[in-house]
Amino acid sequence: MMRIAQIGFGICFAALIVTAVGAGPAMAAGVTLTNSVLVAQKTAAADGSTRITLVPAKRAVPGDHVVFRIDYRNEVGQPITGMVVSNPVPTNLVYRGPADGSPTPEVSVDGARFGSLASLTVAGRAARAEDVRAVRWQVKGAVPNGGGGRYAYEAIIK
């Protein structure tokens, strides 16, 4: 089994940046990361109720709730263990928490120390959601060749 120390990437609304930290170029090339930004869209259902679905964000304005979704797939040719998927939280966003169906990520207020939000401090006070600058998930177990998964978090545009 191969072991990857960390796979990280950044996102903005216009472009994706994919980097591999602690992994060789061939290993990084074998892991596919797909990033999407989604917004809630309300539509009227036939029964008169309101249906909410997530759709790709084409435009977002301050106050909008967005979901950042990160999909990963192992195409290295063998199982990978010790994989970490991380994402900076852009400064124009306020982190809200994990998206429905996604495990709670570790968070960071400085990009270096990660843990639960309750365990972090900023300038001597307890850290708050608006202080979060990065999220990460440590992938449990081995990711088989061809296997993958999805993580997601919610945020509000400032």
Side-chain angles (χ1 to χ4, degrees):
M1 269 189 206
M2 290 201 137
R3 182 172 175 79
I4 286 186
Q6 180 170 350
I7 293 178
F9 67 98
I11 179 172
C12 66
F13 285 99
L16 292 176
I17 301 167
V18 179
T19 61
V21 179
M27 181 67 72
V31 176
T32 303
L33 297 170
T34 306
N35 205 343
S36 52
V37 181
L38 308 165
V39 294
Q41 181 178 57
K42 295 179 183 179
T43 56
D47 64 3
S49 64
T50 300
R51 181 178 170 178
I52 298 175
T53 55
L54 290 175
V55 297
K58 292 183 177 149
R59 182 174 167 267
V61 297
D64 282 354
H65 291 250
V66 295
V67 173
F68 280 69
R69 191 168 21 189
I70 304 114
D71 292 290
Y72 63 92
R73 183 172 172 80
N74 174 8
E75 297 172 353
V76 171
Q78 59 187 314
I80 300 173
T81 61
M83 192 163 74
V84 175
V85 176
S86 63
N87 193 61
V89 176
T91 57
N92 66 332
L93 296 180
V94 176
Y95 171 79
R96 300 301 297 162
D100 287 342
S102 186
T104 301
E106 294 177 298
V107 297
S108 176
V109 296
D110 61 8
R113 296 174 299 128
F114 283 83
S116 68
L117 185 59
S119 71
L120 301 174
T121 59
V122 174
R125 65 164 170 78
R128 298 185 295 255
E130 57 267 20
D131 298 319
V132 174
R133 298 292 17 114
V135 294
R136 78 175 181 191
W137 294 266
Q138 296 187 31
V139 180
K140 295 187 184 332
V143 180
N145 183 49
R150 171 181 287 164
Y151 295 115
Y153 70 92
E154 296 181 6
I156 297 176
I157 299 177
K158 292 181 185 176

